[in-house]
Amino acid sequence: MRKWLMLWLILPLAVSAAPYNRNQARTVNQVVFGHVDSVHYISQQEVTASRRNGWETLLGGVIGGLIGHQFGDGTGREVATVIGAVAGAGIAHERQPTQTITHYRLVEILIKAEDGRLIDVIQDVDPNMVFQRGDDVRILYFDQGVRVDRTYP
């Protein structure tokens, strides 16, 4: 019963934290119109080292030992078990990724609003929404963020 109660309490939080999609309807708090003053595309990589905690190596050693134990008799079985355990641990250790590379593609848009203010927005690159200097745009302000879209005449 407690699991269901926790699920019902946490589920709305998880749903509301979902990322914004252009196909998704959301409440807009404010709209500001302006013109693109400058555009700067940013491509960034983040390298994250994996945390090797040894469980994969241990599991590989156990599985290798079990497989090696299937061969031989007496002393030969013991040797095959040790060789299998060492080989399994070595293979599992080498197959673990040591780092992960995450690519970010962002666009920084400097906008001159109709009231004369300069507004700078950094957002994800959308291949269907390419910005150029002089484009007419609208800035959409949401409860949890901002988005820039081109306006069409």
Side-chain angles (χ1 to χ4, degrees):
M1 181 67 179
R2 288 183 75 185
K3 289 181 184 179
W4 288 106
L5 180 61
M6 291 300 290
L7 180 65
W8 284 109
L9 291 174
I10 294 174
L11 186 61
L13 295 174
V15 171
S16 67
Y20 168 68
N21 285 324
R22 291 189 185 279
N23 304 355
Q24 184 179 23
R26 295 184 63 190
T27 303
V28 177
N29 297 332
Q30 180 183 9
V31 179
V32 175
F33 292 92
H35 308 284
V36 174
D37 191 57
S38 68
V39 179
H40 180 75
Y41 286 92
I42 304 165
S43 181
Q44 184 178 8
Q45 292 183 1
E46 180 179 316
V47 179
T48 308
S50 70
R51 297 176 297 174
R52 290 186 177 185
N53 57 16
W55 287 106
E56 294 86 0
T57 304
L58 178 63
L59 183 61
V62 169
I63 292 172
L66 289 173
I67 292 172
H69 190 71
Q70 303 300 315
F71 300 100
D73 282 332
T75 306
R77 178 175 282 182
E78 292 172 1
V79 170
T81 302
V82 170
I83 291 173
V86 170
I91 290 170
H93 182 75
E94 289 302 315
R95 293 192 53 97
Q96 294 178 36
T98 57
Q99 61 182 343
T100 305
I101 298 175
T102 306
H103 297 278
Y104 294 104
R105 293 189 58 220
L106 305 170
V107 60
E108 179 180 12
I109 311 161
L110 182 62
I111 300 161
K112 182 154 188 156
E114 289 179 341
D115 63 5
R117 292 181 295 156
L118 285 175
I119 302 169
D120 193 39
V121 177
I122 299 174
Q123 66 186 28
D124 292 332
V125 170
D126 181 352
N128 297 321
M129 186 70 57
V130 178
F131 297 98
Q132 295 179 6
R133 184 182 175 128
D135 283 347
D136 293 327
V137 294
R138 63 182 179 176
I139 306 168
L140 306 170
Y141 289 92
F142 304 101
D143 285 337
Q144 298 177 354
V146 176
R147 188 78 192 172
V148 177
D149 288 329
R150 285 193 350 231
T151 57
Y152 299 99

